[in-house]
């Protein structure tokens, strides 16, 4: 019976409900450039499709399908009433002026506007998109519909019924999960933490981790990593990044701080390694070199399947992305409700609710892991599928 239930649900989740693949045309240097764009609506058993919009020249349909599936599982894990989706525009964001970026986002909205609404698919910022871009998305969609549609997209400015806390939420959520894992699995003081990435996730993970009383000994960005056995200070790193464009400069200004090659960063001798940069950074070629006892996935898919097997065999505790970085989509749910005119909570209220929800999901996953002697990733997947199966039964899909 259990196997039949699992197979029926996996059949439903195997393919996306709907996928869009289309072209956006950009006039650049007196030439027309055709840009491929996508929106993958994976599954809506749990509610309206929900997922980010990223801009990158490396985007593929397969990548977006995997990420939209992760969104379905992530929302189901926390029992947030959203399904999963993901969108992408295939062009290097650094090659675009601000005006060009706005033009392609507006064209992206126009191409999709006939197929999505605030109860169907709700985009959000993702890789190389931000609050400004979501404001543009909202503006273009609202112009097309002839009225403000505040719930069509999340990650907007507070003036457009966005939530200020949203920009911190993913990183803060990673920090709260990290704090709980350390208390449960590391019986020691002076825990050493390394964070790969100082972007939207890594930056605020660092901020909250420090506020919680932990020592961050290493941080990296796309250019390099830095290490200090005495610990690094968030405010100092943040100012260095703003002024010089990279955390690397601190190693030039302070001789007690070591500069690290990005490829060496993952092999730091630390207790907890938080991956908050990009996909597939730990793979079969480097998994055996990881010294950290605990690995927290702040980014989406930062560990390949082959590397996951190696790390588990080496006794590493891995907290999967669908659990550890789900704070952002949880807060997005409240922004969506705010856009619909249903709730309006303070940042302090949202922080409290988010933390409680994350810890509740973490405890459920931990209980499955310990009772079935399974890794956290498999345990999180079991909980997600159980929640989705309940919805499928209630909706007479199975």
């Amino acid at each position: 019976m259990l196997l039949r239930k699992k197979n029926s649900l996996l059949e439903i989740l195997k393919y996306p409900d709907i996928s869009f693949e289309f072209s956006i045309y950009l006039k650049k240097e007196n030439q027309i450039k055709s840009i491929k764009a996508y929106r993958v609506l994976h599954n809506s058993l749990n509610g309206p499709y929900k997922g980010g919009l990223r801009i990158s020249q490396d985007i593929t349909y397969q990548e977006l399908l995997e990420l939209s599936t992760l969104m379905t599982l992530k929302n189901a894990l926390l029992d947030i009433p959203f399904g999963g989706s993901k969108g992408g525009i295939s062009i290097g964001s650094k090659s675009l002026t601000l005006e060009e970026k706005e033009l392609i986002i507006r064209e992206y909205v126009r191409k999709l506007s006939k197929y999505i609404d605030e109860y169907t698919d709700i985009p959000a910022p993702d890789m190389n998109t931000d609050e400004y871009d979501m404001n543009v998305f909202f503006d273009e969609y609202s112009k097309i519909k002839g009225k403000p549609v505040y719930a069509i997209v999340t990650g907007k400015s507070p003036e457009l019924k966005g939530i200020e806390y949203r920009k911190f939420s993913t990183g803060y959520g990673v920090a709260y999960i990290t704090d709980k894992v350390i208390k449960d699995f590391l019986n020691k003081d002076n825990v050493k933490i390394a964070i790969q990435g100082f972007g939207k996730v890594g930056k605020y993970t660092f901020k909250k981790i420090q506020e919680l009383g932990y020592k961050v000994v290493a941080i990296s960005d796309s250019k390099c990593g830095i290490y200090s056995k005495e610990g690094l200070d968030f405010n100092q790193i943040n100012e260095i990044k703003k002024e010089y464009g990279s955390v690397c400069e601190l190693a030039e200004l302070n001789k007690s701080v070591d500069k690290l090659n990005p490829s060496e960063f993952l092999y730091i001798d630390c207790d907890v390694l938080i991956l908050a940069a990009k996909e597939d950074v730990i793979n079969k070629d480097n998994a055996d070199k990881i010294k950290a006892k605990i690995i927290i996935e702040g980014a989406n898919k930062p560990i390949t399947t082959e590397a996951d097997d190696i790390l588990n065999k080496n006794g590493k505790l891995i907290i999967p992305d669908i659990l550890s970085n789900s704070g952002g989509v949880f807060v997005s749910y409240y922004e969506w409700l705010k856009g619909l005119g249903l709730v309006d909570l303070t940042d302090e209220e949202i922080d409290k609710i988010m933390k409680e929800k994350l810890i509740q999901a973490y405890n459920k996953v931990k209980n499955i892991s310990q009772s079935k002697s399974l890794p956290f990733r498999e345990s999180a997947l079991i909980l997600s599928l159980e929640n989705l199966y309940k919805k499928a039964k209630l909706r007479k899909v199975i």
Side-chain angles (χ1 to χ4, degrees):
M1 175 64 178
L2 183 61
L3 183 62
R4 188 164 69 248
K5 283 166 57 177
K6 178 184 175 184
N7 288 342
S8 297
L9 185 58
L10 291 179
E11 277 298 309
I12 291 170
L13 300 177
K14 184 187 291 185
Y15 304 113
D17 291 345
I18 310 167
S19 294
F20 299 99
E21 183 175 330
F22 52 97
S23 291
I24 292 173
Y25 305 111
L26 177 67
K27 189 173 183 180
K28 193 174 178 71
E29 296 174 355
N30 294 320
Q31 292 186 329
I32 298 295
K33 183 176 180 62
S34 180
I35 306 163
K36 184 145 303 178
Y38 308 88
R39 189 73 185 167
V40 181
L41 311 185
H42 176 254
N43 188 273
S44 63
L45 274 176
N46 217 39
Y49 303 101
K50 184 79 180 79
L53 168 62
R54 52 178 51 195
I55 298 177
S56 170
Q57 62 188 9
D58 301 322
I59 284 172
T60 65
Y61 170 78
Q62 186 59 37
E63 174 195 21
L64 295 174
L65 174 56
E66 291 174 6
L67 291 170
S68 67
T69 305
L70 281 175
M71 285 301 301
T72 297
L73 296 171
K74 182 185 296 185
N75 288 323
L77 180 68
L78 267 68
D79 206 18
I80 303 167
F82 279 144
S85 61
K86 190 68 76 169
I89 301 171
S90 185
I91 187 170
S93 64
K94 291 181 180 177
S95 70
L96 298 170
T97 65
L98 188 63
E99 182 184 35
E100 288 170 341
K101 190 180 184 186
E102 180 173 326
L103 286 171
I104 65 171
I105 290 173
R106 289 187 183 277
E107 181 65 11
Y108 185 88
V109 176
R110 286 193 288 271
K111 290 286 179 72
L112 282 178
S113 61
K114 291 183 288 188
Y115 309 104
I116 66 170
D117 61 35
E118 66 271 38
Y119 297 102
T120 305
D121 178 35
I122 304 99
D126 201 291
M127 181 191 297
N128 298 322
T129 57
D130 56 20
E131 182 179 288
Y132 178 85
D133 301 318
M134 297 307 104
N135 292 346
V136 169
F137 195 112
F138 157 79
D139 180 65
E140 187 63 27
Y141 189 87
S142 296
K143 284 177 178 175
I144 292 166
K145 298 302 175 181
K147 61 179 181 179
V149 186
Y150 292 108
I152 187 58
V153 64
T154 61
K156 307 181 303 301
S157 297
E159 294 82 0
L160 299 176
K161 298 195 177 181
I163 292 177
E164 182 70 20
Y165 184 81
R166 173 62 185 87
K167 67 180 68 169
F168 317 123
S169 56
T170 304
Y172 281 18
V174 172
Y176 290 141
I177 290 290
T178 302
D179 175 50
K180 189 71 170 71
V181 173
I182 289 171
K183 288 173 178 173
D184 284 352
F185 292 96
L186 282 180
N187 185 25
K188 62 178 292 188
D189 297 323
N190 199 29
V191 172
K192 295 181 293 183
I193 298 173
I195 304 174
Q196 186 199 34
F198 197 69
K200 287 182 280 191
V201 178
K203 176 179 177 178
Y204 294 113
T205 299
F206 187 174
K207 183 177 187 293
K208 181 55 68 173
I209 279 286
Q210 183 172 289
E211 288 175 4
L212 292 171
Y214 293 102
K215 180 193 291 186
V216 174
V217 296
I219 187 78
S220 74
D221 59 22
S222 59
K223 295 189 172 81
C224 79
I226 54 174
Y227 171 84
S228 170
K229 65 179 181 179
E230 303 302 323
L232 299 164
D233 178 68
F234 170 78
N235 291 326
Q236 183 183 34
I237 298 293
N238 197 34
E239 288 304 313
I240 289 287
K241 180 74 173 180
K242 285 180 184 176
E243 186 171 351
Y244 298 99
S246 173
V247 302
C248 309
E249 190 63 26
L250 185 61
E252 305 298 327
L253 300 172
N254 187 340
K255 298 308 176 186
S256 67
V257 175
D258 297 325
K259 186 175 180 179
L260 302 173
N261 185 294
S263 61
E264 299 173 329
F265 187 86
L266 296 171
Y267 316 139
I268 287 173
D269 187 7
C270 61
D271 300 299
V272 180
L273 174 62
I274 298 173
L275 304 173
K278 57 183 181 178
E279 293 95 343
D280 302 335
V281 294
I282 298 182
N283 52 58
K284 62 182 176 61
D285 298 322
N286 62 16
D288 267 327
K289 300 175 185 177
I290 305 299
K291 296 185 179 70
K293 302 174 185 70
I294 296 171
I295 302 166
I296 312 284
E297 293 188 329
N300 291 318
K301 281 179 70 268
I303 301 173
T304 67
T305 303
E306 299 90 343
D308 200 64
D309 292 337
I310 295 168
L311 292 167
N312 281 315
K313 286 176 185 175
N314 291 344
K316 309 299 184 183
L317 174 61
I318 304 166
I319 308 301
D321 48 7
I322 63 170
L323 174 59
S324 52
N325 74 6
S326 55
V329 71
F330 183 77
V331 175
S332 285
Y333 171 60
Y334 279 88
E335 182 178 339
W336 179 66
L337 292 176
K338 182 178 180 179
L340 293 173
L342 300 176
V343 300
D344 190 5
L345 303 177
T346 66
D347 284 0
E348 291 75 18
E349 290 170 325
I350 292 173
D351 180 75
K352 183 175 184 291
I353 296 168
M354 183 192 78
K355 183 178 180 181
E356 289 174 352
K357 191 72 172 180
L358 288 174
I359 299 305
Q360 182 184 66
Y362 165 84
N363 285 330
K364 289 180 181 179
V365 173
K366 185 180 75 167
N367 290 339
I368 294 171
S369 173
Q370 293 178 340
S371 64
K372 297 180 181 293
S373 298
L374 290 172
F376 263 61
R377 192 182 306 282
E378 289 179 47
S379 303
L381 183 59
I382 287 170
L383 182 56
S384 289
L385 294 177
E386 284 178 352
N387 287 339
L388 283 170
Y389 185 80
K390 291 174 187 173
K391 296 294 170 62
K393 285 287 286 183
L394 289 169
R395 296 180 64 175
K396 311 296 184 186
V397 177
I398 293 177

